[in-house]
Amino acid sequence: MNNLYILILAGGSGTRLWPWSREELPKQFLSLAGEENLFQQTVRRMTKIAQPSNLYIVASDQCSALLRHQMKTVVKFDHDPIIAEPMAKNTCPAIALGLAYLLKSGADPEDLIFVSPSDHIVKDDEAFKKAINLGRQAASEGHIVVFGVKPTRADTGFGYVEIDEERSKGLPYKIVSRFVEKPDEEKAKTYLERGNYLWNGGFFLFKAKRIMEALKSDIPQIGNPASEGYDSLISSFEDLPSISIDYAVMEKEKDVAVVPLDCGWSDIGSWDALYETMEKDEDGNVKKGDVHTIGGKNNLIYANGRLVVGLDVNDLVIADTPDALLVAKRGSSQAVRDVVNYLKDQGRREATEAPINARPWGTYQILHQGDRFKIKHIVINPDAKLSLQYHHHRTEHWVVVRGTALAVIGGKEIYVHEGESTFIPKSTPHRLVNPGKIPLEIIEVQNGEYVGEDDIIRIEDDYKRTE
């Protein structure tokens, strides 16, 4: 059987899950369903169908360090798994970039490539694996393969795949008649009643040479530089159209197969989609965090860091974070994207900045911020360190509240113990190290004419963020 490579696409923003999901911390990094976040769950699932050496992630440079670190918590790998996009350009350029990189790195044109999002839920890994194996048969026979989920409701937030029942007779998989992008409610009800429509699950499988041929014929603006090689594609990446693989290729191809996928799938594209897939209590409530309900039914309530109480409320989505609270009627969460766009137009940082931000070395949370100051709570994992860096526009004051810090300031090393503090002047190279066995927690007070996150000049970094 052909060698199988995995491309995990990790460039999504998940704006419809605001305020939990932000541009700085999109939904693939959130623990929405289980202890591990969605990206870690995806990596673990992929190791059951391919060797870790064949796993790669296509993502932006901004997320690369965090993705490398989180992948290491799931599986050991001997190669750099990140294929960095110069900029976000939707799924077609991302897949083309991954394809060109794999071919440059030694993949054979006859090898199979499975493309997976990084932010979906799959509850039944064994059923998922069986579907992939059936897809490998179809792809080996020359089909481009998509994976379709049987609809459970007339959802207008999904794309649909229509099955050609006549051409599918006698085959272990199905043949696609056409793709339909996010229909209106009336059409969605019709598709549900007909029974030969599936939700487009966002997974794809194909031979390397088959998808390259399709790219060249269907969208030559991407296919031609991709066929010339990885370096050619990178050099022209800025000029590529931003387009999904569905619009660019799938809707134009006449020989696409679809494998039905019955594995407890959800793309968690909205709070309503998350509600549908999560376990509920006896009153139909989905609750995460410090949540208590009295007399309410059929709510989704997510708390983050403080107590949330629902009193006689029904059919609501309540998503709380340290800096923003969303209250919406269930059924209306597709409009959350419009809310995010409105907040961006208003210049609100809550639209993009995450209140608790993940980094390869740990996390930080902004506790308070003014015109000339910012106060952070920083948690550094055992044996981890921040980059060696300096700032042009701010000073920093570190107060250790838990653990012991090794502070490197201007070339000097000092240990700062619980209850002690140290000061970093402007333009002074410095770094924080946790030499201990427990998480190091500090309070950082920044002061200066500018306290933005982009005033960081990195000199050395364990997570390749100086490259």
Side-chain angles (χ1 to χ4, degrees):
M1 188 174 286
N2 308 71
N3 194 19
L4 179 66
Y5 287 89
I6 306 293
L7 287 180
I8 299 173
L9 306 184
S13 60
T15 53
R16 286 176 293 176
L17 286 173
W18 183 89
W20 274 52
S21 179
R22 315 279 178 99
E23 283 187 8
E24 284 190 355
L25 193 69
K27 68 174 180 175
Q28 57 263 33
F29 297 123
L30 303 179
S31 300
L32 292 168
E35 294 300 318
E36 290 185 325
N37 64 42
L38 298 177
F39 170 73
Q40 291 169 321
Q41 291 177 23
T42 299
V43 170
R44 193 174 298 281
R45 187 180 313 122
M46 293 303 108
T47 60
K48 297 178 182 178
I49 63 175
Q51 295 295 322
S53 59
N54 284 6
L55 265 63
Y56 291 85
I57 300 102
V58 183
S60 67
D61 275 330
Q62 181 181 357
C63 296
S64 295
L66 180 57
L67 286 164
R68 286 188 185 96
H69 173 72
Q70 294 204 343
M71 191 171 177
K72 285 180 181 178
T73 66
V74 177
V75 61
K76 293 182 180 179
F77 55 93
D78 298 324
H79 67 294
D80 186 350
I82 302 299
I83 304 172
E85 296 177 278
M87 61 202 69
K89 283 281 186 176
N90 216 316
T91 55
C92 186
I95 290 171
L97 185 67
L99 171 66
Y101 184 90
L102 292 179
L103 291 172
K104 176 185 177 182
S105 303
D108 190 277
E110 292 290 330
D111 287 337
L112 299 179
I113 299 174
F114 179 69
V115 178
S116 171
S118 62
D119 54 3
H120 291 188
I121 286 177
V122 171
K123 292 184 176 180
D124 189 340
D125 286 350
E126 191 58 34
F128 182 80
K129 183 177 180 180
K130 288 180 180 178
I132 303 308
N133 287 335
L134 180 55
R136 293 182 71 170
Q137 176 185 339
S140 297
E141 294 171 4
H143 295 284
I144 294 176
V145 183
V146 299
F147 294 81
V149 180
K150 185 177 180 179
T152 56
R153 60 189 182 277
D155 199 304
T156 61
F158 294 133
Y160 287 72
V161 178
E162 182 183 10
I163 294 173
D164 189 324
E165 294 177 323
E166 184 65 29
R167 294 175 63 202
S168 300
K169 288 181 179 179
L171 296 175
Y173 44 82
K174 308 297 182 183
I175 300 298
V176 174
S177 174
R178 64 174 180 143
F179 288 80
V180 181
E181 280 298 317
K182 297 181 181 177
D184 59 33
E185 187 172 356
E186 184 177 345
K187 287 183 178 179
K189 288 180 180 178
T190 301
Y191 299 157
L192 186 63
E193 292 169 359
R194 288 183 180 176
N196 66 324
Y197 284 81
L198 302 173
W199 287 333
N200 185 349
F203 302 97
F204 306 97
L205 180 60
F206 35 68
K207 280 186 179 180
K209 72 173 185 180
R210 177 68 181 87
I211 194 65
M212 185 66 81
E213 292 168 355
L215 289 169
K216 289 173 66 178
S217 62
D218 296 333
I219 185 159
Q221 308 98 303
I222 295 174
N224 286 340
S227 65
E228 293 170 4
Y230 174 78
D231 294 335
S232 174
L233 188 61
I234 281 288
S235 64
S236 60
F237 206 84
E238 185 176 358
D239 298 324
L240 300 183
S242 180
I243 187 171
S244 72
I245 192 69
D246 302 271
Y247 283 128
V249 174
M250 300 301 167
E251 294 183 2
K252 299 175 183 177
E253 290 294 309
K254 304 300 183 185
D255 196 22
V256 178
V258 58
V259 174
L261 191 60
D262 184 11
C263 60
W265 169 90
S266 175
D267 75 337
I268 325 182
S270 67
W271 288 111
D272 288 316
L274 181 61
Y275 176 83
E276 292 294 332
T277 195
M278 297 297 288
E279 292 186 7
K280 303 163 184 64
D281 65 16
E282 62 275 11
D283 293 317
N285 294 311
V286 174
K287 298 183 285 189
K288 182 179 178 65
D290 194 1
V291 174
H292 296 270
T293 53
I294 302 173
K297 294 183 178 181
N298 305 322
N299 301 290
L300 182 145
I301 306 177
Y302 268 41
N304 189 346
R306 60 180 172 180
L307 171 65
V308 175
V309 178
L311 176 61
D312 289 332
V313 295
N314 300 303
D315 301 306
L316 291 182
V317 170
I318 301 173
D320 189 35
T321 68
D323 66 343
L325 169 67
L326 171 70
V327 180
K329 290 182 66 175
R330 275 192 43 232
S332 64
S333 66
Q334 291 289 344
V336 172
R337 178 176 289 171
D338 297 331
V339 173
V340 175
N341 290 335
Y342 169 78
L343 293 174
K344 286 182 178 179
D345 290 342
Q346 299 298 309
R348 297 297 301 254
R349 62 177 178 82
E350 293 91 345
T352 56
E353 294 183 15
I356 301 178
N357 214 317
R359 288 292 185 265
W361 41 261
T363 63
Y364 74 82
Q365 178 181 358
I366 298 174
L367 303 178
H368 193 50
Q369 184 173 354
D371 289 339
R372 295 180 60 87
F373 72 93
K374 183 187 292 184
I375 304 173
K376 286 183 177 180
H377 175 223
I378 298 176
V379 180
I380 304 172
N381 299 324
D383 297 320
K385 64 179 70 172
L386 279 65
S387 60
L388 181 64
Q389 58 184 258
Y390 62 91
H391 315 289
H392 289 302
H393 302 288
R394 70 177 187 247
T395 63
E396 292 180 343
H397 194 149
W398 294 336
V399 181
V400 176
V401 295
R402 183 172 184 249
T404 297
L406 173 59
V408 181
I409 305 172
K412 296 181 179 180
E413 295 185 357
I414 60 170
Y415 284 94
V416 187
H417 302 283
E418 189 172 308
E420 299 175 346
S421 65
T422 190
F423 177 77
I424 302 93
K426 291 180 183 179
S427 303
T428 301
H430 60 278
R431 134 179 284 165
L432 259 176
V433 182
N434 181 2
K437 301 300 181 185
I438 64 173
L440 167 65
E441 296 186 43
I442 73 165
I443 300 298
E444 177 181 271
V445 180
Q446 303 176 2
N447 179 245
E449 62 272 16
Y450 180 74
V451 291
E453 291 301 317
D454 54 347
D455 182 25
I456 299 177
I457 312 299
R458 291 189 174 93
I459 303 170
E460 297 176 4
D461 184 64
D462 284 4
Y463 312 105
K464 302 184 179 181
R465 292 174 296 175
T466 57
E467 297 178 356

